[in-house]
Amino acid sequence: MSLTVVARFCAFVLYLAFMVYIGIRYMKKNKSSEDFFLGGRRVGPWMTALSAEASDMSGWLLMGLPGVAYLTGLKEAFWTAVGLEIGTYLNWLIVAKRLRRYTEQCGNAITIPEFLTNRFKDSSRVISFISVIFILIFFTVYTASGFVACGKLLNSVFGVPYVLAVLIGVAVILAYTMSGGFLAVCATDFVQGALMFIALIVTSVVMIATLGGAGEAFVKVASFGKQFVNPFVNDGTGFGAMAIISSLGWGLGYFGMPHILARFMGIRSDGDVPLSRHIAMIWVTIAFIAAVMIGSFGKAYLAVPLASGAQETVVIETIKQMYPAFIGGIFLCAILAAAMSTADSQLLVAASAFSEDFLTTILKRTLSEKQVVVVSRITVFAIALVAFVISLNENSSIFSLVSYAWAGFGATFGPLILLALFWRGATNKGAIAGIIAGGITVIVWHGLRGGIFDMYEIIPGFVMCLVFAVVVSVLDKNKDAEMLAEFDAYARKLRN
């Protein structure tokens, strides 16, 4: 084993050990299900902001997005980043504060299905049932993308067989998620978010300097085709209006992401939201710019072109070439951090959906607080096992896996969250119709190809969910006095 590999290995071991330590440290702080799933609603603004963005971006930010930029240039990567930037801002601006207040008012709801059930006074529990089904489906796919990222990273850096590499990543994620719960996830995400941020900034700056400055870098990259430097011109590469609309459509996903919305629900006070929003937007803006630049300029920077199918390793190969072994190892941990920070959040939300919303709410099983936490840990393990099976295909595209799951959540829950927070007239029948319409549209649309079906499935799914929810609610007419009174009380508190 070479000194270079030993140095990188030491960096990885130190990092992974630190993540497990955090999980063990927070284990004793989980005295209730609210502690395990929302940290007792006492998470500060800095940790909330970095945790939300780190869990949001996943291996997609350091592998999926740069891979697209390396392969196709600025066009798709640029417009996707713009859509996500807008979506991030609007989510923090119009959803965060309202959701923090309303979830506490609606029976102190600690999961999205529980909030929707309480908000719409759904005594039939149908909302919880169908929500749990879609959460388990899409989060399993989403979690698999994180496992794929771990596998590709460890395989590329250490030559570890892909399957064994995935197993190592899964083991560490399970270790701190099952032990420490929400607080451990937020704390590790805070560290991971900071590491991702530093790695992206330093690497992009060094890359541009090495290429002779920004101007010279663009000239060198332009030799590979105009699409690599100008995202505003359709130069015959096939990236036209529909593709731009599809890329911008990524921004719609934020309103329905349970693992991001959980951060809003767990923040210490809605008064902390503005500070968290500013921190989050600075992080996101700089991170997007750096990730897209590394992917695009990687064409000119890397001495050996990446093989077909290996484009998502552009950041890995750049870091390996750019830094001394140990420092490179630390920065490579940022990629592992990105994958882990999302996978842990998704496992936790999926576990809460099963234990809180399926067992407790739907099956009406009476569980003690200790039993809920135990069941949740078992659920985390079970979902991770299924996601592991999905991730065994090492040719899987991280970008594609995330894209599908992102569309699923955005279309299934996004419109319902907005209607629940802003529209007094929304009813439980409308909510049920919207969830089913949005989720099924995404699943069906994803399997179709050609013409209008080339549009990203989140857009038709979001529209169908919104239309069905509004139309059915209007026809149903909200006459539930308790629901209306609760909404009015919530609205009054917002104005005060």
Side-chain angles (χ1 to χ4, degrees):
M1 186 180 290
S2 68
L3 291 177
T4 297
V5 174
V6 171
R8 288 173 182 160
F9 180 76
C10 289
F12 270 70
V13 169
L14 287 173
Y15 172 77
L16 294 176
F18 184 51
M19 293 300 100
V20 174
Y21 164 74
I22 291 176
I24 295 173
R25 182 185 176 195
Y26 279 99
M27 183 184 294
K28 296 181 180 180
K29 297 188 178 183
N30 293 314
K31 299 179 180 178
S32 67
S33 57
E34 185 180 15
D35 286 338
F36 191 76
F37 295 129
L38 286 184
R41 296 186 191 266
R42 58 179 183 271
V43 183
W46 277 87
M47 187 177 290
T48 296
L50 289 191
S51 175
E53 300 318 314
S55 66
D56 165 18
M57 293 307 163
S58 72
W60 176 90
L61 177 65
L62 282 90
M63 294 183 74
L65 185 64
V68 170
Y70 180 92
L71 182 64
T72 65
L74 283 179
K75 286 188 179 296
E76 184 172 357
F78 172 83
W79 289 111
T80 299
V82 169
L84 290 170
E85 180 91 3
I86 295 171
T88 299
Y89 179 74
L90 292 177
N91 206 28
W92 278 100
L93 182 67
I94 67 177
V95 172
K97 179 178 179 179
R98 289 173 171 82
L99 189 65
R100 174 62 176 82
R101 286 197 177 188
Y102 214 172
T103 52
E104 194 167 24
Q105 184 174 325
C106 287
N108 195 34
I110 61 176
T111 69
I112 292 302
E114 183 182 10
F115 166 62
L116 292 175
T117 296
N118 294 348
R119 161 66 176 86
F120 294 112
K121 308 303 175 189
D122 181 30
S123 57
S124 67
R125 308 299 178 187
V126 174
I127 290 178
S128 284
F129 180 71
I130 57 178
S131 295
V132 169
I133 290 175
F134 283 123
I135 282 176
L136 293 178
I137 290 172
F138 292 122
F139 261 149
T140 302
V141 175
Y142 212 149
T143 303
S145 73
F147 293 170
V148 170
C150 290
K152 288 186 176 183
L153 173 65
L154 297 178
N155 173 259
S156 176
V157 176
F158 300 113
V160 178
Y162 175 78
V163 175
L164 178 59
V166 174
L167 274 173
I168 294 171
V170 172
V172 174
I173 292 170
L174 286 178
Y176 70 78
T177 303
M178 292 174 67
S179 58
F182 187 83
L183 287 174
V185 167
C186 285
T188 53
D189 283 356
F190 179 85
V191 175
Q192 291 163 342
L195 182 58
M196 290 160 63
F197 189 70
I198 294 171
L200 283 169
I201 292 175
V202 175
T203 302
S204 60
V205 170
V206 172
M207 178 181 279
I208 291 173
T210 303
L211 291 173
E216 186 63 24
F218 275 107
V219 170
K220 291 179 179 178
V221 173
S223 64
F224 294 97
K226 293 181 180 179
Q227 74 273 20
F228 281 92
V229 296
N230 193 339
F232 299 97
V233 177
N234 185 356
D235 56 2
T237 59
F239 198 85
M242 183 182 293
I244 292 176
I245 292 171
S246 293
S247 297
L248 291 173
W250 277 76
L252 295 174
Y254 279 102
F255 305 122
M257 292 296 135
H259 58 297
I260 299 174
L261 298 176
R263 270 41 181 196
F264 300 160
M265 296 159 64
I267 195 168
R268 183 174 56 202
S269 165
D270 54 39
D272 289 330
V273 169
L275 176 57
S276 283
R277 182 174 70 245
H278 296 324
I279 297 168
M281 292 311 301
I282 292 172
W283 190 99
V284 165
T285 302
I286 295 176
F288 277 153
I289 293 172
V292 172
M293 290 298 100
I294 292 172
S296 299
F297 293 160
K299 278 276 188 182
Y301 180 82
L302 294 176
V304 180
L306 296 175
S308 176
Q311 292 84 7
E312 291 185 329
T313 64
V314 57
V315 176
I316 297 174
E317 296 304 322
T318 297
I319 290 175
K320 286 167 63 177
Q321 180 175 312
M322 184 177 291
Y323 301 106
F326 185 78
I327 296 176
I330 294 295
F331 280 172
L332 285 169
C333 286
I335 301 175
L336 189 62
M340 293 169 63
S341 61
T342 299
D344 57 20
S345 301
Q346 292 155 353
L347 287 170
L348 196 62
V349 172
S352 69
F354 182 80
S355 60
E356 287 288 322
D357 301 308
F358 186 75
L359 289 181
T360 306
T361 304
I362 298 172
L363 297 185
K364 298 182 179 179
R365 295 290 300 273
T366 302
L367 301 177
S368 66
E369 294 288 355
K370 184 177 181 180
Q371 287 175 322
V372 169
V373 174
V374 171
V375 169
S376 299
R377 286 172 174 153
I378 295 173
T379 306
V380 165
F381 181 82
I383 294 170
L385 183 61
V386 178
F388 168 71
V389 173
I390 296 174
S391 68
L392 289 178
N393 180 9
E394 59 183 302
N395 294 319
S396 297
S397 165
I398 298 169
F399 191 88
S400 296
L401 288 171
V402 172
S403 172
Y404 181 41
W406 188 266
F409 283 119
T412 303
F413 297 110
L416 259 297
I417 292 296
L418 295 175
L419 292 175
L421 297 176
F422 288 94
W423 188 32
R424 187 174 184 267
T427 69
N428 60 349
K429 291 180 181 177
I432 293 169
I435 291 174
I436 294 174
I440 291 179
T441 299
V442 167
I443 293 172
V444 172
W445 198 280
H446 181 74
L448 302 174
R449 292 291 181 272
I452 188 67
F453 297 111
D454 286 339
M455 178 179 289
Y456 184 24
E457 56 266 27
I458 194 172
I459 297 174
F462 195 95
V463 171
M464 291 297 287
C465 177
L466 184 62
V467 169
F468 269 77
V470 171
V471 171
V472 173
S473 292
V474 169
L475 295 175
D476 187 33
K477 295 182 181 179
N478 195 344
K479 298 178 181 178
D480 190 312
E482 182 183 359
M483 188 195 308
L484 294 172
E486 189 173 73
F487 184 91
D488 291 339
Y490 146 78
R492 282 195 299 271
K493 287 182 180 179
L494 280 178
R495 290 194 294 267
N496 295 334

